[in-house]
Amino acid sequence: MANHSNDDTVSEQIQDLSGAIGTGLELEGALNALTDLSRQLIDSSACGIFKFEGINAHLITTHNASPDLERAVQDFHTSGQTDQVFTADNPVVLSESGEETSYALAPISAQEHPLGIFAFACNRSVYTAPELDLIATLSRQAAIALENVGLYQDLFETHHKLKASQTQLVQSGKMAAVGQLAAGVAHEVNNPLQIILSRVQLLMMRHKEEESLVKDLDLIESNVKRISRIIRSLLDFARHNSGQEEWKSIDLIYLVTQTANLMQHLMEKGDIEVTITTADGKSPQVYGNVSEVEQIFLNLLINAQQAMPDGGRIDIELSTDGQTTTAMISDTGEGIPEENIGRVFDPFFTTREENGGTGLGLSIIYSIVDKHNGEVSVKSEPGQGTTFVLRFPSKGSQDDSEET
C-alpha cells in the first residue's frame, strides 16, 4: 500500500511538472525544475541535461550538476559511447574503468530527432528497472521542454519576419506612390527649367563682354544645372520605384552618386561633406533590383546625417576583387553604444523614438542585402563614428563588362 501511495505521489509530481513545462516558455527555469525533481526521485549524486555540438557536450542546466558528471559525459561523447544511447532509444548505464560511479544516460529526442541527453551519476553500478523507466519518463519531459521552447522561438521569429515583410510591403507601396509623384513633378519642372537655361546661355553669348552681367548669369547657369541634376535624380528615383522593376546589372558608383545627389541639400544644410571613392577608378557592378539597392544607401545616408547634428563627414568607399563587391559607408557621428550593436538590425529597435524613428530602416537594409545574397555588418564606437560594410556578389567591373 505504501509503495502504491508513493507511486501515486511520483505520478502527481511528474504530472504537475509536465503541466508547467507544457505551458511554460522559459527554458532554463523549466529544465532546472526538472533536474530538481529528478534528484528527489532518483538516488543520484548529480544530474544534468546536455546538448551536443560536434564533439563538444554542453551542459544546459545550472542545478544539480557536477564537474565530474560534465567530464564523464564529455568523455563518453568523445569516445562515441553516447551514440548507443540514441540507438537503444532507452536509458543506458555506462561506467569508466577504475571508477565506482556509474552513469545512466537517457536520450532526449523529438520526432526522432536527437536533442540531447539526460545524465545521472550514481555511486553504484546497478539501477532498478523502475528507476530506468522513471529516467526515461523524465527525459521525455526534457524533450517536451526543449521542443516547446524551440517551437515558441520559431513562432516568435516567424511573427517578427512577417511583421517586417508587411512593413516592407507597405513601404514599397509608398515608394512606388512617391516615385509616380516625383516623375510628374520632375517632368513639370524640367520643361521650364530647360527654357531658363537656354535663355541664360543665350544672354551670356550676347553680353559676353559685360563682365559683371556674365558673372551673374554664370551663377544662374550653375544653379539651374544643379536643379537639372536633382531633376534627373528624381526621374531615376521615379523609374526605379515604379514597383515593376526587374533585376539587372547595377553600376554602383552611378547609383551611389545619384543617391547622394538626392541628399545633397540636407547634407549641405547640416554641414556634412560626402565623398565617394572607388579602388583603381573602376565602378563595381552588382546584380539586383535598382530601387532596393538604392534604398540601402539612402537609408544609410539618412542614418549618418541624423548621427551628426553638428556636421561631419561621410566617406563611401567602393571596391571589388572580381568575386565580391564591398561598400564601406563611414561617418564621424556619435557612434553606437556597445550594448546596442547586436540589436541595430532588429525590427522596431530604435533609439530615436522621440524624433519619429520607427526602427525599420536598418532591418529593411538587412532584409534587402540578404535578398541579394549579400552581407551587412557594422563597426562603431561611441564618439568615434560608425562604419557599415556591405558585401555583394560581384557582377564584374564596368571595364570588364565593356570588354565583353
Side-chain angles (χ1 to χ4, degrees), residues 50-264:
F50 294 81
K51 290 187 75 174
F52 301 130
E53 293 181 9
I55 62 170
N56 297 315
H58 296 290
L59 178 70
I60 60 173
T61 49
T62 56
H63 292 190
N64 303 300
S66 69
D68 286 341
L69 177 66
E70 289 187 65
R71 177 193 51 76
V73 171
Q74 179 63 67
D75 290 344
F76 291 142
H77 183 55
T78 302
S79 65
Q81 294 182 74
T82 51
D83 292 344
Q84 64 181 287
V85 177
F86 292 105
T87 301
D89 198 29
N90 280 304
V92 172
V93 178
L94 300 174
S95 60
E96 296 181 302
S97 59
E99 294 286 338
E100 293 183 0
T101 302
S102 64
Y103 301 89
L105 275 58
I108 301 174
S109 304
Q111 298 178 4
E112 300 184 356
H113 177 68
L115 298 177
I117 276 182
F118 202 164
F120 292 80
C122 297
N123 296 320
R124 51 195 166 88
S125 59
V126 177
Y127 293 77
T128 65
E131 281 182 315
L132 294 176
D133 288 342
L134 186 54
I135 289 173
T137 299
L138 293 169
S139 71
R140 285 193 290 272
Q141 294 302 314
I144 292 170
L146 289 170
E147 189 176 26
N148 279 356
V149 171
L151 289 172
Y152 172 74
Q153 289 174 340
D154 288 344
L155 180 62
F156 184 79
E157 290 173 7
T158 301
H159 173 68
H160 273 276
K161 286 179 180 178
L162 178 60
K163 288 187 75 172
S165 297
Q166 289 173 334
T167 303
Q168 191 172 344
L169 185 61
V170 171
Q171 179 74 3
S172 297
K174 289 180 179 178
M175 295 291 279
V178 171
Q180 291 174 0
L181 178 62
V185 172
H187 282 297
E188 288 297 323
V189 173
N190 194 53
N191 290 335
L193 196 66
Q194 294 308 313
I195 294 172
I196 294 171
L197 183 60
S198 63
R199 292 298 185 269
V200 168
Q201 291 172 340
L202 182 60
L203 286 170
M204 289 175 69
M205 292 174 60
R206 287 179 177 175
H207 302 278
K208 57 185 176 182
E209 294 180 359
E210 299 179 37
E211 186 175 339
S212 177
L213 178 59
V214 168
K215 186 176 180 181
D216 289 340
L217 291 170
D218 187 56
L219 180 61
I220 294 172
E221 181 188 37
S222 65
N223 279 279
V224 169
K225 287 181 176 179
R226 178 183 171 187
I227 296 172
S228 184
R229 287 195 298 273
I230 294 172
I231 293 297
R232 283 198 299 273
S233 296
L234 281 171
L235 286 169
D236 283 340
F237 177 85
R239 185 173 64 253
H240 298 333
N241 289 282
S242 64
Q244 300 177 343
E245 186 173 16
E246 296 181 356
W247 283 38
K248 63 182 180 181
S249 181
I250 302 170
D251 182 342
L252 209 53
I253 184 66
Y254 178 79
L255 180 142
V256 172
T257 301
Q258 291 297 91
T259 306
N261 285 342
L262 284 173
M263 294 286 295
Q264 185 175 350

Side-chain angles (χ1 to χ4, degrees), residues 16-36:
D16 289 343
L17 180 63
S18 178
I21 288 174
T23 57
L25 298 173
E26 201 276 302
L27 179 62
E28 184 177 1
L31 295 183
N32 283 332
L34 179 59
T35 57
D36 288 343

Side-chain angles (χ1 to χ4, degrees), residues 5-17 41 134:
S5 175
N6 185 57
D7 288 345
D8 288 344
T9 301
V10 169
S11 178
E12 287 175 6
Q13 288 177 306
I14 293 176
Q15 189 172 358
D16 289 343
L17 180 63
L41 301 179
L134 186 54

